[in-house]
Amino acid sequence: MSESSTTTVVERADAARNRQLLLNTVREMITETGVEQVTVDGLAERAGLGKGTVFRRFRSRAGIFHALLDDDERAFREQVLYGPPPLGPGAMPATRLVAYGRARIRFLLERHAVARAALDHNQSILAGESTLSQTHLRMLLGQAGVDAPDVDSLALQLTGALEGPILLYLPTPPRPDSARHIARLADNWQILIEHLCQPTPERKPETDRKE
């Protein structure tokens, strides 16, 4: 390996370590003082890195929270694609639909403040499209044999119910009531899915398959 290649590998390894250090540090700061108290200067000081390093990595305060969400999203995706049932493969489609919605609601509402902090001032308050949710819900609706005029549109509507309004529009209750708030929304999702997936004589649900 040439000297320049060795230098590049070392730089990439250092960048990866710094990124993980910063993400771990910002998680600690959020736990201790809340999202509102996190600043670029405070993160740099707490992590023992230069302010310029933080700016190069995240570009803005909103970028810090965006990276944090992206890191959590990757872990969530792994659970959906490869984790144990019913969230992961191995359960019946209707059961997986219920499990996905319940898990997604909990995931999003537990990160409500982080998601709002991840919005840049020039961004719309609407959450971006979730490819994972739309694709996953469409697949499970098809497997469950849901009787709908347009299953693609239904998947899109269900994705909107999970990703946008819940994440950024619903008011968050006081912390002592947050678990009950999440449970109510998750229960509503389950009622909706169970109604959609009620068997009919004409409906022949597909067997579950791994993604």
Side-chain angles (χ1 to χ4, degrees):
M1 184 180 293
S2 67
E3 182 178 347
S4 61
S5 297
T6 302
T7 301
T8 299
V9 171
V10 172
E11 287 175 348
R12 287 176 180 171
D14 286 345
R17 281 195 297 270
N18 285 343
R19 180 181 187 278
Q20 195 57 53
L21 170 62
L22 289 166
L23 291 178
N24 292 342
T25 302
V26 77
R27 290 184 199 280
E28 293 172 1
M29 295 173 71
I30 290 171
T31 299
E32 292 174 8
T33 62
V35 169
E36 297 79 8
Q37 303 304 315
V38 175
T39 64
V40 172
D41 288 342
L43 176 58
E45 181 179 355
R46 176 75 174 260
L49 297 172
K51 183 177 177 180
T53 299
V54 179
F55 266 116
R56 281 193 299 274
R57 169 57 59 184
F58 301 123
R59 301 193 178 278
S60 67
R61 181 177 182 273
I64 295 171
F65 299 108
H66 189 277
L68 193 62
L69 280 176
D70 188 57
D71 196 54
D72 287 349
E73 287 282 4
R74 281 195 291 271
F76 183 82
R77 178 186 291 268
E78 290 293 311
Q79 294 175 22
V80 172
L81 298 181
Y82 309 113
L87 182 59
M92 295 300 292
T95 303
R96 292 194 71 193
L97 279 166
V98 170
Y100 182 83
R102 296 187 74 96
R104 191 65 183 167
I105 287 167
R106 183 174 63 253
F107 176 91
L108 296 174
L109 287 184
E110 286 177 349
R111 293 161 179 80
H112 186 278
V114 173
R116 291 191 69 88
L119 289 173
D120 186 89
H121 291 303
N122 296 321
Q123 285 180 280
S124 166
I125 194 169
L126 288 173
E129 177 187 5
S130 172
T131 303
L132 171 63
S133 286
Q134 188 173 343
T135 302
H136 188 63
L137 293 176
R138 173 62 183 87
M139 182 199 73
L140 294 177
L141 289 168
Q143 290 180 2
V146 170
D147 187 14
D150 184 346
V151 181
D152 290 324
S153 295
L154 177 58
L156 179 62
Q157 288 174 302
L158 290 174
T159 299
L162 283 179
E163 299 295 336
I166 285 180
L167 179 59
L168 295 176
Y169 280 104
L170 289 181
T172 54
R175 185 172 293 275
D177 195 44
S178 60
R180 185 166 54 179
H181 182 61
I182 291 172
R184 288 197 203 103
L185 292 170
D187 288 345
N188 288 340
W189 172 266
Q190 181 165 344
I191 290 169
L192 172 62
I193 295 302
E194 287 174 348
H195 277 290
L196 282 172
C197 294
Q198 282 179 353
T200 65
E202 298 80 18
R203 185 180 300 164
K204 295 180 180 179
E206 303 171 20
T207 56
D208 187 36
R209 63 175 179 270
K210 289 188 178 182
E211 296 169 58

